[in-house]
Amino acid sequence: FTHPTIMFRYSAITFNGHRIHYDYPYSTEEEFYPDLVFHGPLQATLLLNLSEKYAEKTAKKFIHKGVSPVFANMKLKLKLKRHSDNEHHLFSETNTNGMAMEAKAYF
């Protein structure tokens, strides 16, 4: 999921011009990140899509919070816990940084 190509495309689709998402030399040499920074909103979109696919319906409310950074080329895991028919708890995580984002979807 964290391949630089998807990050570049997401930047283009959302008109996000922040170079930390697509310009490797800028991200690493100017901002001193270890790699390109993976979009928080893209993580949220992936979690929402997972929840709606599992529920087979559209969420009425979705809340998310970034917990730790994710960088390009990290393995990002998306996890869902069904709390009830109307509520899912979700989170993304990496092996390096642990939980990256937590979210709740309400149906």
Side-chain angles (χ1 to χ4, degrees):
F1 280 127
T2 65
H3 193 275
T5 302
I6 193 171
M7 293 166 39
F8 178 81
R9 289 178 178 167
Y10 194 82
S11 291
I13 289 168
T14 60
F15 299 99
N16 184 331
H18 201 312
R19 293 167 62 184
I20 62 172
H21 301 300
Y22 63 84
D23 184 340
Y24 182 82
Y26 177 82
S27 183
T28 57
E29 297 168 16
E30 297 292 324
E31 298 285 346
F32 304 107
Y33 289 116
D35 207 325
L36 296 170
V37 179
F38 194 74
H39 294 277
L42 178 51
Q43 282 183 74
T45 300
L46 294 170
L47 290 171
L48 175 61
N49 288 344
L50 172 65
S51 187
E52 289 182 336
K53 183 177 180 178
Y54 183 82
E56 297 181 339
K57 54 187 169 182
T58 302
K60 293 180 181 175
K61 184 177 180 180
F62 182 76
I63 300 169
H64 66 281
K65 177 184 175 184
V67 178
S68 67
V70 175
F71 300 100
N73 304 303
M74 285 183 153
K75 184 176 181 181
L76 183 67
K77 299 173 194 169
L78 306 178
K79 299 196 175 182
L80 179 148
K81 180 178 180 185
R82 184 178 166 271
H83 188 66
S84 71
D85 286 342
N86 298 319
E87 185 177 340
H88 292 169
H89 293 203
L90 305 110
F91 64 95
S92 61
E93 69 177 11
T94 66
N95 291 337
T96 307
N97 296 346
M99 184 184 290
M101 181 171 284
E102 58 185 335
K104 291 182 181 179
Y106 300 92
F107 299 93

